[in-house]
Amino acid sequence: LPLSELKAFWINDEHTIPILTEVLDLIDHQCLINIEIKGKGIIQTEISNFGAKFAANSSIRTAILDEKISADISVASRCQLMKLCKALEANIDGEVVQFELIFRNYLTGSLFQALQDGKDPYGLDLPSNLKEWHKFETPLFTPTTKGLKDEPLNSKKVRDTFPEIISSLEKLFKDFTTFAEDRGIVVVDTKFEIFVDEDGKWVLGDEVLTPESSRFIALEDFKNSNFISMDKQILRDFGK
């Protein structure tokens, strides 16, 4: 059972089927939390499927296929049928890396801490006097490597390497931000993972605009400066 996502996998030459569990994990801290939430896997799967459909409406393909798992399988409601793909890779500063492509609407978390420490890990040249929860007029793009320890990458270099991908994802993020806010949810940020299919075309992974890959806050709470997470950030804070 991979610690990173707490999914079991069935794989053949063409497809992979992730099976989401009911257990909580903290990949940032490499630990399991001995708490089982009834229905967690089902809900996560439904949200992930919704994110894939939202992306499809923006003409962005995902690795998630439309075919359904047979209802005869006991864990069918926690499964997705996915195209078997390889992670997107490129040479950045002399090193071949895989990517996590992150877009931020607000200044908080690790980026705010870096600014407080006088650091500029993404080459964004932000003003040093910005306050936490400052809203950016245009979402910031803050890519990192993908691995046990995600390392910041220069934003412009990654954007110049994949201009069409980044432009498409930025529009998707903006559209989803508007969609969510109209329904009472503030999207703080989100992470996209990109893969390449057998035809060499890029596709989104399985965690698309979900609480696993994004940070959400209820709009009413946000307006009252109650920055209470509706996502996995609660667990990350618990693990600190």
Side-chain angles (χ1 to χ4, degrees):
L1 192 65
L3 183 61
S4 60
E5 297 291 346
L6 280 187
K7 299 173 184 175
F9 288 89
W10 177 87
I11 301 174
N12 66 12
D13 291 339
E14 296 181 357
H15 302 111
T16 176
I17 302 179
I19 307 170
L20 279 80
T21 73
E22 313 284 68
V23 183
L24 302 179
D25 73 296
L26 275 176
I27 181 58
D28 301 347
H29 303 276
Q30 289 292 289
C31 68
L32 303 179
I33 299 177
N34 191 27
I35 299 174
E36 180 177 342
I37 298 179
K38 189 71 173 176
K40 167 183 169 287
I42 296 173
I43 294 169
Q44 273 190 277
T45 300
E46 290 177 348
I47 293 174
S48 181
N49 287 335
F50 174 83
K53 291 178 182 177
F54 192 93
N57 290 336
S58 296
S59 301
I60 295 177
R61 299 187 312 140
T62 74
I64 301 171
L65 301 174
D66 291 333
E67 291 91 333
K68 303 299 181 184
I69 307 299
S70 171
D72 295 334
I73 300 174
S74 61
V75 293
S77 59
R78 295 191 278 122
C79 295
Q80 294 169 308
L81 184 63
M82 298 182 62
K83 185 180 295 188
L84 192 61
C85 303
K86 62 180 182 180
L88 179 71
E89 295 182 334
N91 191 310
I92 302 291
D93 293 331
E95 183 178 356
V96 176
V97 298
Q98 298 176 6
F99 301 90
E100 294 190 343
L101 305 176
I102 300 163
F103 291 87
R104 302 172 184 261
N105 281 320
Y106 295 91
L107 177 62
T108 189
S110 61
L111 181 60
F112 175 68
Q113 187 58 56
L115 193 64
Q116 292 289 100
D117 295 339
K119 299 177 182 178
D120 186 13
Y122 306 100
L124 297 171
D125 196 25
L126 296 174
S128 60
N129 62 345
L130 292 181
K131 304 296 184 184
E132 188 170 20
W133 298 108
H134 169 83
K135 184 174 183 179
F136 302 111
E137 290 186 14
T138 300
L140 287 192
F141 174 52
T142 57
T144 71
T145 60
K146 177 176 174 58
L148 289 179
K149 183 173 174 55
D150 303 334
E151 299 291 346
L153 294 168
N154 182 278
S155 179
K156 184 177 185 305
K157 288 182 179 179
V158 178
R159 187 183 286 271
D160 289 347
T161 303
F162 304 111
E164 189 266 334
I165 293 177
I166 305 309
S167 177
S168 298
L169 295 181
E170 184 173 56
K171 182 180 184 305
L172 175 63
F173 181 64
K174 289 179 178 178
D175 290 347
F176 185 71
T177 294
T178 300
F179 173 87
E181 188 161 330
D182 288 345
R183 289 156 179 79
I185 299 173
V186 171
V187 181
V188 178
D189 52 37
T190 201
K191 171 190 72 177
F192 297 115
E193 294 186 23
I194 303 298
F195 295 84
V196 179
D197 67 14
E198 73 277 7
D199 298 320
K201 297 179 180 179
W202 68 273
V203 297
L204 275 174
D206 62 320
E207 290 293 345
V208 182
L209 306 169
T210 72
E212 182 83 14
S213 62
S214 312
R215 283 190 285 185
F216 303 133
I217 297 175
L219 180 59
E220 184 175 351
D221 285 337
F222 193 89
K223 287 179 177 178
N224 292 320
S225 297
N226 295 324
F227 304 116
I228 304 170
S229 296
M230 300 170 61
D231 51 68
K232 198 174 179 181
Q233 189 59 40
I234 295 172
L235 296 179
R236 297 187 186 101
D237 292 342
F238 173 78
K240 288 181 179 178

